[in-house]
């Protein structure tokens, strides 16, 4: 219980402030605020690279993806952090397609050339395979591209809401850097 861990001085990679932390944590950020700020900046970079990547894909592939996403996919927004006192909150995002067929998911990832694939197991439901984007910048980039091809009304509403809420948030940061 009384193992003493040596505290070390770290420099925050966002604000350059020096702070004491445990080496074991490999601390990069002096605070949660700096952590989320950096995550947002990383997202801006990912937005740019994903947009460039998507330009290389054929329109046919994009439209094919839209059909699958409308039927078998989802856009999820979950709360990652919430502070009751300050009312500060941060979110975790996911843009995904799930299938029982592993082959389908790995082919999808190969064709698209980005995103992650993983296995998802739910008790009583067996396993399924998921192709996923987990970064706000990546998701915003793909949503902007698929947006004109979406057919289903509830999907359109969901996508419009997402664009209205997060495009400005990300792209205001974009301009600053
Ligand atoms: Zn900091």
């Amino acid at each position: 219980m009384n193992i003493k861990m040596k505290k070390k001085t770290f420099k925050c990679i966002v604000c350059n402030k020096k702070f004491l932390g445990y080496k074991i944590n490999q601390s990069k950020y002096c605070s949660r605020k700096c952590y989320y700020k950096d995550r947002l900046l990383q997202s801006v970079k990912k937005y740019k690279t994903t947009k460039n990547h998507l330009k290389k894909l054929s329109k046919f592939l994009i439209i094919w993806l839209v059909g699958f996403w409308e039927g078998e996919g989802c856009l999820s927004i979950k709360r990652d952090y919430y502070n009751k006192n300050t009312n500060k909150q941060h979110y975790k995002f996911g843009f995904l397609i799930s299938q029982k067929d592993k082959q389908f998911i790995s082919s999808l990832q190969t064709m698209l050339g980005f995103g992650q694939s993983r296995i998802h197991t739910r008790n009583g439901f067996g396993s399924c395979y998921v192709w996923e984007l987990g970064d706000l910048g990546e998701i915003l980039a793909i949503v902007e591209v698929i947006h004109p091809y979406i057919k289903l009304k509830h999907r359109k509403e969901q996508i419009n809401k997402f664009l209205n809420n997060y495009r400005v948030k990300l792209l205001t940061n974009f301009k600053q850097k």
Side-chain angles (χ1 to χ4, degrees):
M1 285 298 277
N2 275 326
I3 302 167
K4 270 193 182 169
M5 277 190 289
K6 260 196 182 169
K7 273 192 172 177
K8 219 189 125 183
T9 308
F10 291 92
K11 206 162 124 185
C12 177
I13 64 163
V14 176
C15 70
N16 283 327
K17 200 173 95 180
K18 284 186 179 156
F19 64 100
L20 278 174
Y22 294 106
K23 200 180 175 182
I24 201 163
N25 293 338
Q26 294 290 324
S27 307
K28 288 186 194 165
Y29 309 102
C30 70
S31 62
R32 201 182 290 272
K33 195 179 157 193
C34 283
Y35 163 72
Y36 282 108
K37 196 174 170 188
D38 191 45
R39 211 170 78 170
L40 203 61
L41 292 175
Q42 296 305 321
S43 289
V44 170
K45 284 184 196 157
K46 282 209 166 161
Y47 170 80
K48 271 170 101 176
T49 51
T50 310
K51 265 257 148 133
N52 284 332
H53 178 76
L54 285 165
K55 278 181 201 157
K56 292 179 210 150
L57 302 181
S58 76
K59 196 175 164 183
F60 173 77
L61 183 59
I62 298 290
I63 293 168
W64 180 81
L65 174 74
V66 172
F68 262 106
W69 181 78
E70 288 200 78
E72 311 281 339
C74 87
L75 175 66
S76 76
I77 302 169
K78 287 178 195 153
R79 200 148 68 184
D80 191 28
Y81 169 76
Y82 176 58
N83 186 326
K84 215 166 56 183
N85 301 318
T86 60
N87 206 25
K88 271 247 150 81
Q89 43 198 340
H90 295 283
Y91 295 90
K92 227 178 6 197
F93 303 90
F95 180 94
L96 46 100
I97 290 176
S98 58
Q99 281 282 301
K100 284 267 173 209
D101 184 7
K102 187 182 180 180
Q103 191 70 47
F104 175 86
I105 291 297
S106 56
S107 303
L108 179 69
Q109 192 184 14
T110 308
M111 282 189 284
L112 294 172
F114 72 121
Q116 284 87 45
S117 57
R118 62 176 169 87
I119 184 165
H120 178 66
T121 311
R122 281 188 303 167
N123 287 342
F125 292 94
S127 303
C128 67
Y129 298 87
V130 177
W131 172 82
E132 181 176 37
L133 302 175
D135 176 85
L136 177 61
E138 282 179 320
I139 298 171
L140 192 66
I142 200 162
V143 162
E144 283 183 353
V145 169
I146 67 169
H147 173 244
Y149 308 111
I150 290 176
K151 296 275 177 227
L152 301 175
K153 198 180 161 224
H154 72 282
R155 290 292 196 186
K156 251 187 192 158
E157 284 169 2
Q158 187 188 24
I159 288 295
N160 284 337
K161 203 174 153 195
F162 176 80
L163 286 174
N164 289 339
N165 287 342
Y166 297 104
R167 194 188 245 155
V168 175
K169 189 184 170 188
L170 196 77
L171 299 190
T172 328
N173 259 282
F174 195 7
K175 279 180 196 154
Q176 281 168 5
K177 289 283 141 179

